[in-house]
Amino acid sequence: MSNPKHTLFWMTTFLAVVTVVCALLFKPLQSAFLANWVFNLVILCVLLVGIVITYRQVIVLFPELRWIAQFRTGNAGLSVLQEPRLLKPLARQLNDDAKRDRFSLSTLSLRTVLDGIHSRMDEQREITRYFISLLIFLGLLGTFWGLLGTINAVGAVIVDLDMGQEDFGKVFGRLQAGLLEPLQGMGTAFSSSLLGLGGSLILGFLDIQAGHAQNRFYDGLEEWLTGVTNLVGRAGEVYDENELTDPS
């Protein structure tokens, strides 16, 4: 089966490249972050949690691969000490006596096991997809929040204008000072959009890599189990859908 270490390598390399780019653009990114540091900090925290969850989806494959490798050693005296999490449907399908790569599954049992494992993988990926959507939502929410503040500030500036009894220079100076608050709202809007969409792109790439690792793991598992599946029963034998037999 494919080794998930290659996936972790590419994921880490991608994050290293992103870190280098952010370091080169530190000044403009710092200005954008400080436009509304509280809201932008929430976006960064969501991104970090999503990265950790994505890495976990790949790391959890290692115990499953060790369980399969231990199971397939062919050593009759070797026992499987810990039941896997992702492969729990398969572990339950195999009784305590089937500790080696010498068993057979019916077609219906194979499909039941693979469907259970596939559903567990989909449940893990749904969490990452939710975080990707959450980053986009937070970016849009910050955009609308900043635009709302801009509209209110511009309205207040227009209401305070009085051209009738004051010097034009004073009116212009007050207008200039009043426009600073709307510009601050625009900074909030664009900075949150930048961080939210950028974070969703980063997490989306990591999710794709994690999905590839899970798909390769699933394909290898399917090939292995297909090799021990009874597509056609032997002459004079009837296989129960939950029965495991030792051909040796």
Side-chain angles (χ1 to χ4, degrees):
M1 293 185 181
S2 178
N3 195 338
K5 291 182 179 180
H6 301 291
T7 301
L8 292 178
F9 171 77
W10 288 114
M11 292 171 64
T12 306
T13 302
F14 175 76
L15 289 180
V17 172
V18 172
T19 302
V20 171
V21 173
C22 292
L24 295 176
L25 301 176
F26 177 75
K27 288 296 184 180
L29 290 179
Q30 183 184 25
S31 301
F33 178 80
L34 295 178
N36 189 351
W37 67 271
V38 176
F39 199 88
N40 293 332
L41 182 62
V42 173
I43 295 178
L44 290 181
C45 290
V46 172
L47 174 61
L48 292 177
V49 173
I51 291 175
V52 172
I53 293 176
T54 307
Y55 265 84
R56 182 182 177 276
Q57 291 179 2
V58 181
I59 294 175
V60 296
L61 297 178
F62 288 98
E64 313 299 319
L65 290 173
R66 285 195 297 267
W67 186 88
I68 295 175
Q70 186 178 10
F71 189 90
R72 300 183 66 183
T73 54
N75 186 359
L78 183 62
S79 61
V80 180
L81 301 178
Q82 184 177 2
E83 188 180 50
R85 295 183 179 180
L86 190 60
L87 299 178
K88 185 173 291 186
L90 177 61
R92 290 180 176 178
Q93 191 76 6
L94 303 175
N95 54 36
D96 294 335
D97 296 330
K99 297 297 185 182
R100 296 170 294 168
D101 195 11
R102 296 179 181 176
F103 62 93
S104 60
L105 290 172
S106 65
T107 306
L108 182 59
S109 298
L110 173 65
R111 180 47 50 194
T112 301
V113 168
L114 291 179
D115 288 344
I117 296 173
H118 191 270
S119 63
R120 289 173 181 268
M121 290 182 176
D122 285 341
E123 289 177 359
Q124 292 182 355
R125 295 198 64 187
E126 284 177 359
I127 300 176
T128 308
R129 292 166 183 167
Y130 171 77
F131 274 87
I132 295 175
S133 301
L134 181 60
L135 287 172
I136 299 175
F137 169 76
L138 291 176
L140 293 176
L141 181 62
T143 299
F144 293 131
W145 183 272
L147 292 177
L148 180 61
T150 301
I151 293 173
N152 294 333
V154 170
V157 171
I158 294 176
V159 171
D160 291 340
L161 287 179
D162 187 5
M163 302 292 295
Q165 300 178 354
E166 295 187 10
D167 182 51
F168 180 77
K170 294 181 180 180
V171 174
F172 183 78
R174 191 164 58 186
L175 176 62
Q176 185 179 15
L179 288 177
L180 294 177
E181 187 174 354
L183 292 177
Q184 185 178 3
M186 293 296 294
T188 300
F190 289 112
S191 64
S192 61
S193 297
L194 174 65
L195 294 178
L197 295 178
S200 66
L201 291 177
I202 295 173
L203 195 57
F205 178 83
L206 298 180
D207 178 64
I208 291 175
Q209 295 299 317
H212 287 170
Q214 290 181 342
N215 291 335
R216 288 191 291 266
F217 170 79
Y218 182 83
D219 292 340
L221 179 65
E222 186 177 17
E223 291 178 2
W224 168 48
L225 293 179
T226 302
V228 295
T229 301
N230 293 304
L231 298 180
V232 179
R234 298 176 183 175
E237 293 182 353
V238 178
Y239 289 93
D240 184 78
E241 65 182 27
N242 293 322
E243 182 183 3
L244 295 172
T245 62
D246 189 348
S248 62

